[in-house]
Amino acid sequence: MEHNNDQVMSENSNNNNKAQDPNPRFASEGCSVLLDVNDGDRLVFARLSSGAVFKIGNNYYPLKPLIGAPFGSMFQVQTGEEGSSLSRILPIKKESTSSVNVIDDDGRDNRELIDNNESQNLTGEEIEAMRREGAKGEEIIEALIANSKTFDKKFQLSQEKYKLKKQKKYAPKVLLRRPFARSICEAYFKKYPAKIGFIRVDALSLLLTMANVTAYSDVLVVDMVGGLVTGAVAERLGGTGYVCNTYSGNFPSSVEMVRMFNFTDKVKERIVHSSISELSSAKTAITEENNQQRGVCNSDININESSASDMVEDVSVTAEARVVDDVVPESKIIKAPQPGAKASKEAVEMWKENGFSSLIMAAQDQDPWTLAKDVLPLLSYSAPFAIYHQYLQPLATCMHNLQQGKMAINLQITEPWLREYQVLPSRSHPHMQMSSFGGYVLSGIRISTT
């Protein structure tokens, strides 16, 4: 019945917000976007508006042309009568020939080239004059190549690098990317890895897989990495089920990154938080209540011969009655809560009856075992869990304590491994610089200790 109520609530919320939700394939005013400058040289998060500007080099460019464009569009700095601006460029389909992707080995090399800044005949003043006259970036690059004394003497690969270097300076390109779990994780891992606990994108995908995050799941999350894990779980749930961010203490951890996902109200209302003490006290209260009900049901028979089916039936009826009494009328709901709102009493009581379906922990500044011993009892039996940590030893200690306490089975520590490759004609090889470390993930399945 709880599963059906969840579906009904999702359908009603979907009907109310259907007309308000923008098309997720297009960048709309007020949404967050990820701007990729010059193929990964700079990654910047921005919120689109008519007055927003973006700095490239020493100049500022308005972001208004990006509003309404589909994600994946490419923009380039172009100079016109009204000054420089970002203009969308469409991909040009090149004709395939037999000579494409073939490197000519004509014997040229760079051994005779001397870098003395005298090989370019075009001065900086002349380049600025071309810009003021409205010359495009490609025209400036062609002029630089024509006035270079050493360009024809360079090897073919060196010529391509020269063109790319000048293109980034005089005709920079901006790729409009949609912020989602992978792009946000990659951007932060490249720029501010400490803010996300050094979680690499393959480690994040491993967490979601090990925790079996699927539709209509109630996922308990200990997120101390800025909201990256919370947003990734909510993105996979897609407005079904719940993701509850729990914490120890009086204040929840910050989940500011969730705002970058451009979630609809339907998804936002499924992101809640509740402290470990609240969930634990609720779990204790319902256990005591069940024991009292069990004693009443078994007053005329032997306690050792009590029926398990009667116990389950009594608990289910009590939970159903409690949920009906605390239902809030739809007329009182004005708008969907913001992501990270406090969990309702109805949801807390549902979780104390059934437990959470899975657990993900990513707390770089906390001891995994200290949190795990308080959080694992909140899961239902046979529920999977995944714990991330930057270092191996804290997870090894946690794994040992879980084995000693017989709290979980199928325990294993996994080290994610990722290798990036450069794929280019005649020069495909692993990247010269890449991350060799992605943390560790402890996974297992919770069992009954009795």
Side-chain angles (χ1 to χ4, degrees):
M1 178 171 292
E2 293 168 356
H3 181 72
N4 295 334
N5 292 337
D6 194 17
Q7 287 182 330
V8 173
M9 292 175 60
S10 300
E11 292 175 358
N12 293 337
S13 178
N14 188 23
N15 294 333
N16 295 334
N17 300 326
K18 187 174 181 180
Q20 302 176 4
D21 297 340
N23 191 337
R25 297 179 180 272
F26 293 84
S28 58
E29 187 170 4
C31 74
S32 298
V33 296
L34 176 59
L35 302 179
D36 188 342
V37 183
N38 288 331
D39 195 19
D41 284 356
R42 284 181 61 201
L43 296 172
V44 181
F45 291 97
R47 187 170 294 273
L48 292 185
S49 64
S50 300
V53 294
F54 180 56
K55 185 177 181 181
I56 302 178
N58 297 325
N59 300 321
Y60 289 88
Y61 302 93
L63 295 179
K64 187 176 181 179
L66 278 64
I67 299 177
F71 285 108
S73 301
M74 182 72 72
F75 292 82
Q76 190 172 22
V77 175
Q78 294 186 358
T79 305
E81 297 179 355
E82 300 179 356
S84 300
S85 62
L86 292 175
S87 178
R88 184 183 174 188
I89 56 176
L90 299 177
I92 301 176
K93 188 176 181 180
K94 298 181 180 180
E95 297 181 359
S96 59
T97 59
S98 58
S99 60
V100 173
N101 298 339
V102 176
I103 304 300
D104 297 331
D105 187 8
D106 52 5
R108 290 180 299 177
D109 53 42
N110 301 334
R111 71 180 69 183
E112 302 296 337
L113 301 181
I114 301 175
D115 187 10
N116 54 9
N117 293 329
E118 296 180 357
S119 59
Q120 183 57 248
N121 295 328
L122 203 62
T123 62
E125 292 78 6
E126 294 174 342
I127 296 176
E128 291 298 327
M130 294 178 63
R131 283 182 169 179
R132 288 192 297 268
E133 294 174 0
K136 297 183 179 180
E138 290 81 359
E139 296 176 354
I140 297 177
I141 296 174
E142 293 297 332
L144 290 171
I145 293 175
N147 288 273
S148 176
K149 300 178 182 178
T150 58
F151 182 81
D152 294 335
K153 301 178 182 179
K154 292 182 178 181
F155 183 54
Q156 184 177 355
L157 299 181
S158 298
Q159 292 180 351
E160 293 181 5
K161 291 181 179 180
Y162 179 86
K163 292 180 181 179
L164 181 61
K165 179 180 178 181
K166 298 304 178 184
Q167 177 266 318
K168 291 181 178 181
K169 182 176 182 180
Y170 296 104
K173 295 181 180 180
V174 179
L175 177 62
L176 179 63
R177 298 179 60 184
R178 181 174 67 89
F180 60 104
R182 175 169 182 169
S183 60
I184 294 175
C185 183
E186 289 177 342
Y188 268 90
F189 188 81
K190 183 175 182 180
K191 194 172 183 180
Y192 303 112
K195 290 186 177 181
I196 59 173
F198 297 90
I199 296 180
R200 208 167 50 195
V201 62
D202 56 326
L204 179 61
S205 63
L206 188 63
L207 283 174
L208 299 176
T209 303
M210 292 293 190
N212 193 29
V213 179
T214 56
Y216 297 100
S217 299
D218 293 334
V219 185
L220 184 63
V221 173
V222 182
D223 187 347
M224 296 184 182
V225 290
L228 176 63
V229 175
T230 302
V233 173
E235 181 182 75
R236 176 165 290 193
L237 293 180
T240 63
Y242 279 93
V243 48
C244 180
N245 186 12
T246 189
Y247 53 92
S248 59
N250 299 324
F251 301 100
S253 303
S254 174
V255 289
E256 290 297 322
M257 293 184 194
V258 176
R259 298 185 304 171
M260 301 178 184
F261 284 81
N262 298 324
F263 286 142
T264 62
D265 291 341
K266 175 184 175 182
V267 179
K268 289 179 182 178
E269 66 182 3
R270 298 293 177 160
I271 304 175
V272 296
H273 69 80
S274 182
S275 65
I276 297 177
S277 60
E278 292 175 348
L279 296 174
S280 300
S281 61
K283 193 81 173 178
T284 304
I286 192 61
T287 303
E288 294 176 355
E289 183 178 350
N290 291 343
N291 292 335
Q292 294 176 0
Q293 293 177 357
R294 190 181 311 164
V296 173
C297 294
N298 299 330
S299 59
D300 297 334
I301 60 177
N302 191 350
I303 297 178
N304 295 330
E305 297 177 355
S306 59
S307 173
S309 61
D310 294 338
M311 293 162 53
V312 174
E313 182 179 357
D314 292 339
V315 173
S316 301
V317 172
T318 305
E320 182 179 352
R322 186 181 298 107
V323 171
V324 172
D325 292 338
D326 295 337
V327 168
V328 180
E330 292 184 2
S331 58
K332 295 183 180 180
I333 301 177
I334 300 176
K335 60 180 180 179
Q338 294 297 319
K342 187 174 180 59
S344 62
K345 294 182 179 179
E346 294 83 359
V348 173
E349 292 189 0
M350 178 183 66
W351 293 325
K352 72 185 180 183
E353 289 284 349
N354 304 321
F356 290 91
S357 57
S358 59
L359 165 68
I360 297 180
M361 284 178 49
Q364 56 177 347
D365 298 330
Q366 300 290 331
D367 178 53
W369 168 242
T370 304
L371 290 174
K373 65 182 180 181
D374 296 331
V375 174
L376 279 180
L378 303 177
L379 299 181
S380 61
Y381 296 132
S382 301
F385 62 88
I387 305 174
Y388 170 84
H389 202 276
Q390 183 182 358
Y391 303 110
L392 175 62
Q393 185 56 43
L395 292 182
T397 303
C398 181
M399 180 177 178
H400 175 73
N401 293 333
L402 291 174
Q403 291 174 335
Q404 293 294 322
K406 297 181 180 180
M407 300 174 62
I409 60 173
N410 198 25
L411 292 170
Q412 59 180 355
I413 297 179
T414 307
E415 180 182 7
W417 188 79
L418 179 69
R419 169 172 287 179
E420 299 180 59
Y421 277 82
Q422 170 186 290
V423 181
L424 291 173
S426 301
R427 52 193 189 280
S428 295
H429 57 75
H431 281 186
M432 305 304 293
Q433 295 180 348
M434 71 181 75
S435 172
S436 60
F437 177 75
Y440 301 89
V441 176
L442 169 62
S443 60
I445 298 176
R446 191 227 169 177
I447 60 174
S448 175
T449 57
T450 56

